[in-house]
Amino acid sequence: KSLKPMCVDLVVTHAQVLAVRLILKLVAPRKKRSIEYSLRVAPVMTSYILLKHKHKLLYADKPGKRALSWDQQHEWGAEQVAEIIADFGGFYRKVGQIAGTASQMMPRPYVEKFSKTMDDNPPTPFYVVRKILETELGGPLGSHFSELSRNACATASIAQVHFGRLLDGREVAVKVQTANYKNVISDLKSLLRTARMMKKLHLDNGMDLPTIFRAYLDVIDEEFDFKIEHEKIDYFGKLFEQTPEICDKVCAPRVVASTKKVLVMRRVRGAKLLTIFNRARQNGKRPRCPQQVSRTHSYYGGDGWDGVFFSIFRAWGEMMLTCGHFHSDPHPGNFILRGDGKLCILDWGQTKRVSDKERLHMCRLALKMSTEDYNGIAAEVRDHGTVLVEKPTNEALVALTYAYFDTRPSTLAEMNIMDLENSPFTRNKITQNTREGFFAIRGVFLLRGMLSTCGLQMSMVEHWQDVAIANLRDAGEWYPGRFRRITTRIVNKAALQTQRTFNFGSGAKMNAVEAYAAERKDNSKSAMYTSFSSLW
């Protein structure tokens, strides 16, 4: 008898909650989605806050127990966030893709869970795809295609791709926009609110995550217009054809037709880098570079994967330093190795344009980095950069520059941003991240991760020297001559090595950071870090 009123109250309350959810779904579906996302992510954030305080009280002098506790927390947190991404889809999957490729800075459980979001998004049913195609192209599918696969060969957060054949027999890949623009913007704003909350609660480790999501808001509109993507594919395809060093090594797909929501391209046959990397990972081996690919790219850069990455570096150098307009999503799923060895770059929806001022800033920075002119790098960042840190010492600015803008191994880039107690970012926070340069930074981290997968250590800026000089010369700006560049590099490397050997100045700080990184690195599961001479 005493439990009966309580049960009735629970049933009534549950009915009221269901009624409110139904009304929200009908009247304000995006608001309902945002609320449900907030309710799902709140317990995860709360658990990290509580564990952080628990460590301060109980494990202040027990680093081993702290590390074990964080590992267990990351395992649980990654599972919860992966379920949220799977349930909500949309732009949340894009965030999963970003985290899944940030192997240098994310805990391993998050990387392993999120790397599965690259190409396995749940496909949109074919009847929906058919309706979009018939509306956009006009008329039934049979008036355009002799064949069209009902099953998507690739799915992503905004679109999916189906293989088919035109009436004239040409094989094509048909990219169909399946995401709702307003839903994606709503998701992005929800994530921006989460990032702001993480910053207030000191859970972003001084990385200024809100700026990153604002950067996505700057470029998201173009991803929803495939006519613009058509123009970009044609533009960059011609750029590669007109660049002597890569004209026979790098290409873009050829577009047959486009509308705002449909992009029909000639099918590119070959193997995706993502497929090659995943197969090698499953077998516990380094990925092997196909022989034809090695022969195609060996002329410019060397054998095997070395030559492939030389070609990639040159392509990105032309795009970033010469055009000021570049592909901003170079994850391994967007590279395909053709049968003739050429590297085809896919998915040109997400690109970034920068002003001439920013483009020349990148040219000067690349040139100074390639000669290891540390004082010059720090001065360039202070005068023209947009990243702000609490303590803008030369060491901090140079460390960030090498981590953000070069693919060589960097101790700072290896730091786990979710090591909430020991990360250097908690000791010298980024008070303002670079909204303008975020996509360049993202590209660097993706390429560095790919290099690591292939067992390579290469510097992108060292291969940009001639491109940077040519653009500075065209702009009428001063640049150091060859003799000065060589002597500057030799002197700076010798000075830094001396400081490291005798453990003083910048060398002492670098030794301390590398010692911390070595202590934190799990040698049993990842390759050993080998230092370059450059400041971390």
Side-chain angles (χ1 to χ4, degrees):
K1 289 181 180 179
S2 61
L3 288 174
K4 189 175 180 180
M6 188 183 299
C7 292
V8 171
D9 290 342
L10 285 172
V11 171
V12 171
T13 302
H14 184 62
Q16 289 173 341
V17 170
L18 291 177
V20 170
R21 290 182 64 181
L22 179 60
I23 292 170
L24 279 173
K25 186 174 181 179
L26 296 173
V27 177
R30 282 182 286 278
K31 181 62 69 175
K32 170 183 175 291
R33 179 179 171 88
S34 178
I35 292 171
E36 289 185 343
Y37 159 75
S38 300
L39 292 174
R40 291 281 297 276
V41 80
V44 180
M45 293 176 63
T46 303
S47 67
Y48 272 92
I49 295 169
L50 293 176
L51 188 61
K52 186 177 178 180
H53 288 293
K54 176 184 175 181
H55 285 183
K56 287 182 179 179
L57 292 173
L58 302 179
Y59 301 149
D61 57 347
K62 300 175 182 178
K65 287 191 175 182
R66 284 204 312 268
L68 179 62
S69 178
W70 278 126
D71 289 343
Q72 294 171 345
Q73 173 68 17
H74 294 327
E75 287 281 355
W76 177 83
E79 186 74 36
Q80 299 302 309
V81 178
E83 288 180 7
I84 294 171
I85 290 172
D87 292 343
F88 284 87
F91 196 83
Y92 299 106
R93 284 194 174 274
K94 176 70 76 174
V95 174
Q97 291 174 359
I98 296 169
T101 53
S103 57
Q104 299 99 346
M105 298 187 74
M106 291 294 292
R108 183 169 287 103
Y110 281 88
V111 174
E112 291 175 351
K113 290 289 183 183
F114 294 168
S115 62
K116 298 174 183 177
T117 67
M118 286 293 182
D119 269 331
D120 70 342
N121 294 352
T124 300
F126 185 73
Y127 73 87
V128 177
V129 173
R130 183 187 192 108
K131 185 177 180 180
I132 295 171
L133 285 170
E134 291 179 342
T135 301
E136 289 290 311
L137 299 178
L141 293 183
S143 62
H144 303 283
F145 305 99
S146 61
E147 299 175 17
L148 187 66
S149 172
R150 296 178 64 88
N151 299 319
C153 63
T155 57
S157 55
I158 289 175
Q160 63 187 46
V161 178
H162 294 256
F163 289 141
R165 191 183 298 272
L166 298 178
L167 298 178
D168 60 9
R170 287 179 294 174
E171 289 186 316
V172 291
V174 185
K175 183 176 180 179
V176 185
Q177 186 184 127
T178 54
N180 181 287
Y181 173 76
K182 291 183 178 179
N183 285 348
V184 170
I185 295 298
S186 176
D187 291 348
L188 189 47
K189 289 180 178 177
S190 295
L191 287 163
L192 178 57
R193 286 193 291 271
T194 301
R196 286 172 179 159
M197 184 59 67
M198 289 179 69
K199 187 172 183 177
K200 287 182 180 178
L201 296 172
H202 306 293
L203 290 179
D204 69 344
N205 269 5
M207 286 293 291
D208 188 22
L209 295 179
T211 297
I212 293 173
F213 289 108
R214 291 190 194 100
Y216 271 105
L217 281 170
D218 293 341
V219 302
I220 195 69
D221 286 352
E222 286 193 1
E223 286 201 67
F224 280 89
D225 192 337
F226 289 173
K227 287 185 176 181
I228 295 177
E229 184 171 353
H230 181 174
E231 294 172 359
K232 291 190 285 192
I233 290 173
D234 288 347
Y235 171 78
F236 286 108
K238 291 177 182 175
L239 173 69
F240 298 149
E241 290 173 0
Q242 294 167 3
T243 304
E245 294 84 356
I246 55 173
C247 61
D248 59 342
K249 298 174 178 61
V250 180
C251 65
R254 294 189 180 277
V255 179
V256 177
S258 65
T259 70
K260 188 176 177 64
K261 292 187 177 182
V262 174
L263 186 64
V264 183
M265 300 165 285
R266 293 293 299 271
R267 181 175 178 178
V268 180
R269 286 193 174 273
K272 280 188 177 181
L273 283 183
L274 180 64
T275 304
I276 295 173
F277 291 172
N278 284 343
R279 190 180 297 127
R281 189 181 294 115
Q282 290 168 4
N283 295 329
K285 298 179 180 178
R286 294 285 188 195
R288 293 182 61 185
C289 184
Q291 287 186 357
Q292 182 59 47
V293 174
S294 181
R295 284 194 292 266
T296 299
H297 294 269
S298 62
Y299 176 76
Y300 183 61
D303 295 328
W305 293 118
D306 299 72
V308 175
F309 282 101
F310 274 116
S311 298
I312 291 174
F313 292 165
R314 185 68 190 206
W316 257 258
E318 291 294 333
M319 288 189 284
M320 294 175 69
L321 305 186
T322 302
C323 302
H325 185 194
F326 57 93
H327 191 297
S328 56
D329 194 21
H331 69 73
N334 284 338
F335 292 98
I336 189 166
L337 298 172
R338 296 192 336 189
D340 61 0
K342 259 192 173 183
L343 180 72
C344 187
I345 304 172
L346 308 175
D347 194 0
W348 292 87
Q350 189 184 107
T351 62
K352 177 65 179 176
R353 294 177 178 85
V354 297
S355 64
D356 277 345
K357 180 181 178 182
E358 182 74 11
R359 180 177 65 84
L360 292 174
H361 167 55
M362 291 193 294
C363 289
R364 291 189 297 269
L365 204 55
L367 198 55
K368 288 179 171 64
M369 291 171 70
S370 67
T371 58
E372 307 203 20
D373 179 4
Y374 307 128
N375 291 331
I377 293 169
E380 179 68 26
V381 173
R382 284 195 186 93
D383 294 342
H384 303 285
T386 53
V387 176
L388 301 177
V389 295
E390 284 182 340
K391 305 167 190 173
T393 61
N394 279 14
E395 292 88 355
L397 296 178
V398 172
L400 277 176
T401 303
Y402 275 108
Y404 273 13
F405 202 56
D406 194 15
T407 56
R408 71 182 70 187
S410 163
T411 307
L412 191 65
E414 297 280 339
M415 297 300 179
N416 183 344
I417 65 170
M418 297 184 73
D419 185 0
L420 299 178
E421 292 156 348
N422 302 303
S423 171
F425 292 115
T426 62
R427 301 172 187 176
N428 193 2
K429 292 183 174 62
I430 299 173
T431 56
Q432 176 184 297
N433 221 320
T434 169
R435 185 169 178 174
E436 186 76 5
F438 166 71
F439 288 103
I441 297 166
R442 168 166 158 71
V444 166
F445 271 79
L446 288 170
L447 293 174
R448 187 189 288 124
M450 289 163 59
L451 283 165
S452 176
T453 300
C454 296
L456 299 177
Q457 296 177 351
M458 298 169 66
S459 168
M460 184 161 62
V461 294
E462 287 182 4
H463 303 291
W464 282 359
Q465 271 199 36
D466 57 339
V467 183
I469 289 171
N471 283 284
L472 290 173
R473 185 193 302 121
D474 292 343
E477 290 201 14
W478 177 87
Y479 60 90
R482 180 178 176 81
F483 177 76
R484 182 164 181 169
R485 295 198 305 273
I486 293 173
T487 53
T488 300
R489 181 179 173 86
I490 292 172
V491 169
N492 286 332
K493 288 179 70 173
L496 180 61
Q497 189 58 46
T498 301
Q499 292 180 43
R500 293 197 65 184
T501 301
F502 295 100
N503 201 37
F504 71 94
S506 298
K509 295 177 181 179
M510 183 176 178
N511 289 340
V513 173
E514 289 199 354
Y516 162 72
E519 180 185 350
R520 295 291 297 163
K521 202 164 185 66
D522 185 357
N523 295 330
S524 64
K525 295 183 180 180
S526 58
M528 286 294 291
Y529 168 77
T530 303
S531 171
F532 268 55
S533 62
S534 295
L535 199 64
W536 48 264

